[in-house]
Amino acid sequence: MNSIFNFSKSSKMNDWEIVNDDVMGGLSIASFELNRDGDVEFKGNVSTANNGGFASVRYRFNKKNIEGKEMITIRLRGDSKPYQFRIKS
């Protein structure tokens, strides 16, 4: 399996960008950090005040050749809240 990003093999956390609703006046906050166990934690508080309501993290990378690929695998542990994974060209 070819990984785009493997947190256990890299500490380049600065390549990830937090984008919260404060870009449009909202009050949500979030963080994306490597913990002591080597896992990444995305956490924060989403607020609907001031027409807000989202917190996100982004990773931009160079185009990848995905010819012949059929799936994306994500390993994560959640908190039973709904989340979205978005990918685009």
Side-chain angles (χ1 to χ4, degrees), residues 3-15:
S3 295
I4 293 173
F5 200 92
N6 185 336
F7 292 106
S8 65
K9 295 182 180 177
S10 176
S11 61
K12 295 178 69 176
M13 297 299 294
N14 293 335
D15 291 345

Side-chain angles (χ1 to χ4, degrees), residues 11-81:
S11 61
K12 295 178 69 176
M13 297 299 294
N14 293 335
D15 291 345
W16 292 79
E17 177 186 10
I18 298 288
V19 181
N20 298 326
D21 57 16
D22 60 342
V23 297
M24 52 187 239
L27 302 175
S28 298
I29 57 170
S31 64
F32 191 70
E33 302 167 346
L34 195 60
N35 68 20
R36 288 179 290 184
D37 297 328
D39 298 323
V40 175
E41 294 180 354
F42 175 65
K43 56 187 175 181
N45 184 32
V46 175
S47 170
T48 57
N50 292 351
N51 295 316
F54 72 88
S56 65
V57 62
R58 295 180 183 171
Y59 179 68
R60 298 181 189 270
F61 51 88
N62 294 329
K63 289 184 179 183
K64 304 287 182 187
N65 180 358
I66 59 170
E67 188 174 330
K69 306 293 184 197
E70 297 180 1
M71 73 175 73
I72 294 173
T73 303
I74 302 172
R75 290 184 50 202
L76 61 89
R77 181 177 18 198
D79 58 4
S80 74
K81 295 177 184 172

